[in-house]
Amino acid sequence: METTLRGVGVSHGVAIGEVRHMGTAVLEPPAKQIPAEEAEREQGRARQAVEAVAADLIARGNLAGGEAQHVLEAQAMMAQDPELIADVDRRIAVGSTAERGVYDAFAAYRALLANAGEYLAGRVADLDDVRNRIVARLLGVPMPGVPDSDEPYVLIARDLAPADTALLDPTLVLGFVTEEGGPTSHSAILARALGVPAVVALPGAGEIAEGTVVAVDGSTGEIFVEPSQEKRSEMESASAARKAALTAVTGPGATSDGHKVPLLANVGGPGDVPAALEAGAEGVGLFRTEFLFLDDSKQAPSEEKQIAAYRAVLEAFPEGRVVVRVLDAGADKPLEFLTPADEPNPALGVRGLRSLLDHPDVLRTQLTALARAAEGLPVYLEVMAPMVADRADAKAFADACREAGLQAKFGAMVEIPSAALRARSILQEVEFLSLGTNDLAQYTFAADRQVGAVSRLQDPWQPALLDLVSLSAEAARAEGKSCGVCGEAASDPLLACVLTGLGVTSLSMGAASIPYVRATLAKHTLAQCERAASAARAADSADEARRAAQAVLSGE
C-alpha cells in the first residue's frame, strides 16, 4: 500500500528504485586492559591506522575533485589532529588497547563538539565517520560505507559522511535519503554537486525495509513507499518534462519579460570551475577561499600560492563577474594560527571578519594576492567580507581593501540579522550586499544548520527570513546598489522566483542547480515573481509560504 513520507528535499530530481541501507557503524571495541610493556606497540598501531585513514580520505578527495576534495581534506586533518592523537596516546599508556583508546578519545572530543555551539556540533557526523574508519582498520573489519550492488538502488542512511557521498556512483545510486542532516549539510551540498536526488531529515527512514521500492522527489522532499504504477508514471512524466525544459532554455538568466537575473556559481576553487562553465554560469557569486587555507591549519598559504589559485578562477570568466569571499575562519573551520581555541561558543565568537581584523597581516596578504591575481585580466572582481555586523565592520573592511591597493568593488555579506536590519547604513561603506541565507537562517532562528531536528527552522521559505531578504534588497535599491543571494536558497527554482520578486539582483548556487533555476525563471514575469513574493511573506510558516508562492506562479 502506497504511503507518503516527507523530509527536506535538498537536491533536485526523481529517483525510483529498491532501498539499500548503508553499512552499519563499527561496534564499540571491548574495554580490556593491556600490560604496560605493550603500550608502545599499541600506540604505534593507532598512529598507523590514523595515517592510513587520513591518506585514504585524501585519495578519495583527489578522485572526487571539486568541493568534495576540500571537504575530505578537512576530514583528514580532523583524523590527524595533534590533540586527539595525544589523547589516544595517553589512554593507551594507562592500559587501553589501540582501538579502545581511539574510540574513547573520539568520544570525549565528540561530546565537546556536540556542546560547542551550532557550527561545531554540525561536524559530529564527520568525526564519527573518521572514528569508525580508524577503529575498523584496527579491528580488521570492513569499513562502514555504501553497500555493494550490481543493480541501481536508493540509498538510505542515518547520515552520510562526506567520504561516502563524494564517491557515490550516480549510475548505481539513483538517490539517497537520510534520517538526519539539513539542507546545508556537507552531504546535501555534495549531492547537489553530483546531481543525485536527495532528501534529508526524514525521521524513521531507517525503518523502511531493505528491498522496498520507493520514489524520491528531491525537489519536494516527498518519499512514496511502494508507489502505485500511477504515481510512478506521474513522477517519471514530471521528471521528463523538467529535463526537457532545462535543455530548452539557454543563455543568461532572465524572467519571461526580460528582467535580467544573473545566475552565478558557488565554487571552492579551480576544481569547481568546469562544472560551472558547463552549466552556463555567468560568473562566480561566491568563491569560498577558506578551502585554500584549510590545507594547513598551522599557517596561512603563501601569497604566491594564493595568487595561483585565485588567478585560475579569474581567468575562467573573462569579462564575467567573480565575487570572492575573504577567509571565513572560525566555528566549524578553526585554524590554529587564526582562531581562538578556548571559545565557549565559536559560532558566536571571533569568526569571519572578526578573526581577520584581529590578524590584519593575514587579511592584507589575501587582499594583496587578489589584487595581483587580477592584474591584466578583464574580469570584474568583487571582494566581500563574511559576518559583517554593522557599519563599523564594513568600514574596516573597505579601508583594508583600499590600503591593499585592490581595484575591485568591496561588499558585505548579510549573514547576521543586524546587517539586514541596518543594511542601508552598511551600504554607506560598501558597494554591494550578498545574502548568505544559510547562516542568516541559523542566526535568525537559533537553529543549527546541521541538525535535522531543527531543519524546519533552517527552511529558507520561513517568512521571517524572507522579511530580512526584503529589507536588504530594499536598502540596496534605495542606495542604487546590488544585493545578491549566495546561500543555498538560490538553488530552489521556485524560491529563486520569490527572491527575484523581493528585489534580489543576482542568484548564486551550486552549478548543478543553475539549469533548473534558469528554466523556471524563464517561465514567469517579474510581476508574477513579485506577487509570489508578497504571498510568501504574508504566510505564517515555511510550508504555507511555499504553497502560496506556488499557487501564484501556477496561476491558481
Side-chain angles (χ1 to χ4, degrees):
M1 179 178 175
E2 179 180 310
T3 57
T4 305
L5 306 173
R6 183 183 288 276
V8 179
V10 296
S11 184
H12 304 299
V14 168
I16 301 174
E18 291 187 1
V19 163
R20 296 286 182 274
H21 286 273
M22 183 68 117
T24 56
V26 177
L27 295 175
E28 181 178 346
K32 64 179 183 181
Q33 290 290 107
I34 60 168
E37 60 269 20
E38 293 183 15
E40 187 174 346
R41 178 178 64 84
E42 290 294 287
Q43 288 170 340
R45 286 182 64 228
R47 288 175 181 273
Q48 287 175 359
V50 165
E51 291 305 318
V53 166
D56 178 62
L57 289 168
I58 291 170
R60 285 169 175 258
N62 290 336
L63 282 173
E67 188 161 0
Q69 182 173 3
H70 303 303
V71 172
L72 293 178
E73 286 174 351
Q75 253 198 312
M77 288 173 56
M78 185 181 283
Q80 297 170 304
D81 182 278
E83 291 188 16
L84 257 176
I85 293 173
D87 191 20
V88 172
D89 281 346
R90 283 193 295 272
R91 292 173 188 274
I92 294 174
V94 295
S96 287
T97 61
E99 46 267 38
R100 187 71 205 192
V102 168
Y103 188 90
D104 289 341
F106 272 74
Y109 194 37
R110 187 187 199 281
L112 287 174
L113 287 187
N115 295 299
E118 296 154 353
Y119 272 94
L120 287 176
R123 293 296 166 259
V124 165
D126 295 4
L127 185 71
D128 286 348
D129 180 60
V130 172
R131 177 204 64 202
N132 290 347
R133 290 173 185 279
I134 297 172
V135 172
R137 183 170 289 274
L138 287 166
L139 291 173
V141 300
M143 292 284 178
V146 296
D148 290 328
S149 176
D150 295 328
E151 298 296 325
Y153 60 92
V154 173
L155 179 64
I156 290 186
R158 184 182 62 81
D159 202 352
L160 276 172
D164 296 314
T165 316
L167 293 183
L168 290 179
D169 182 350
T171 63
L172 285 177
V173 181
L174 302 172
F176 67 75
V177 181
T178 65
E179 293 193 57
E180 298 183 1
T184 59
S185 65
H186 277 154
S187 292
I189 292 170
L190 295 179
R192 285 188 284 270
L194 287 167
V196 177
V199 172
V200 301
L202 181 68
E207 297 172 13
I208 301 174
E210 186 91 359
T212 302
V213 175
V214 297
V216 179
D217 190 325
S219 299
T220 66
E222 291 175 306
I223 308 294
F224 301 94
V225 181
E226 298 287 10
S228 65
Q229 188 56 52
E230 182 182 359
K231 173 58 71 175
R232 291 195 203 191
S233 299
E234 176 189 323
M235 293 182 71
E236 287 168 349
S237 296
S239 179
R242 197 177 297 160
K243 289 179 180 177
L246 297 184
T247 58
V249 181
T250 58
T255 58
S256 62
D257 54 343
H259 175 73
K260 293 182 178 179
V261 187
L263 303 181
L264 312 171
N266 295 342
V267 305
D272 294 331
V273 167
L277 292 172
E278 185 178 350
E282 298 168 58
V284 172
L286 174 61
F287 182 176
R288 301 183 179 97
T289 61
E290 59 268 20
F291 289 121
L292 182 63
F293 287 75
L294 290 172
D295 287 345
D296 185 348
S297 66
K298 295 183 174 59
Q299 61 182 2
S302 67
E303 185 175 319
E304 295 304 319
K305 182 176 180 180
Q306 291 188 53
I307 290 170
Y310 302 151
R311 194 170 181 90
V313 174
L314 296 176
E315 287 177 337
F317 295 93
E319 300 185 9
R321 178 186 179 200
V322 176
V323 184
V324 178
R325 178 174 70 189
V326 294
L327 175 60
D328 183 14
D332 65 329
K333 295 167 284 191
L335 295 171
E336 289 182 31
F337 66 89
L338 196 68
T339 49
D342 56 351
E343 289 186 303
N345 192 337
L348 301 180
V350 182
R351 175 190 169 192
L353 180 62
R354 299 167 188 175
S355 293
L356 293 174
L357 293 179
D358 281 352
H359 297 81
D361 53 324
V362 175
L363 177 58
R364 187 182 309 111
T365 299
Q366 184 171 23
L367 295 174
T368 301
L370 283 165
R372 290 181 58 193
E375 286 176 0
L377 297 179
V379 68
Y380 296 96
L381 176 62
E382 301 184 12
V383 182
M384 61 186 182
M387 303 301 292
V388 171
D390 55 18
R391 182 173 179 172
D393 278 352
K395 183 178 187 304
F397 178 65
D399 287 346
C401 289
R402 283 187 283 267
E403 288 170 10
L406 191 60
Q407 299 298 310
K409 285 186 176 182
F410 316 141
M413 291 197 71
V414 177
E415 301 167 282
I416 303 173
S418 64
L421 294 168
R422 300 291 294 170
R424 197 160 183 180
S425 171
I426 288 172
L427 283 166
Q428 305 310 304
E429 304 294 343
V430 294
E431 297 170 85
F432 69 93
L433 300 176
S434 184
L435 287 143
T437 52
N438 306 346
D439 271 321
L440 186 57
Q442 174 170 252
Y443 291 124
T444 298
F445 296 103
D448 185 342
R449 55 189 281 187
Q450 302 291 338
V451 174
V454 293
S455 61
R456 76 171 187 86
L457 296 172
Q458 262 295 323
D459 192 325
W461 281 95
Q462 285 285 357
L465 185 66
L466 299 180
D467 288 344
L468 294 176
V469 173
S470 180
L471 279 174
S472 304
E474 287 173 7
R477 182 166 53 245
E479 294 296 326
K481 296 179 179 180
S482 63
C483 176
V485 168
C486 64
E488 291 299 319
S491 65
D492 179 336
L494 184 62
L495 186 51
C497 293
V498 168
L499 295 173
T500 298
L502 291 174
V504 166
T505 55
S506 66
L507 300 166
S508 189
M509 65 208 77
S513 298
I514 291 175
Y516 290 92
V517 173
R518 181 190 291 119
T520 305
L521 277 174
K523 293 194 297 186
H524 304 289
T525 65
L526 176 59
Q528 286 177 306
C529 292
E530 290 171 341
R531 288 197 297 274
S534 296
R537 288 186 66 194
D540 290 321
S541 71
D543 286 341
E544 289 178 15
R546 188 182 287 105
R547 286 195 297 268
Q550 179 68 66
V552 170
L553 294 175
S554 62
E556 296 177 6

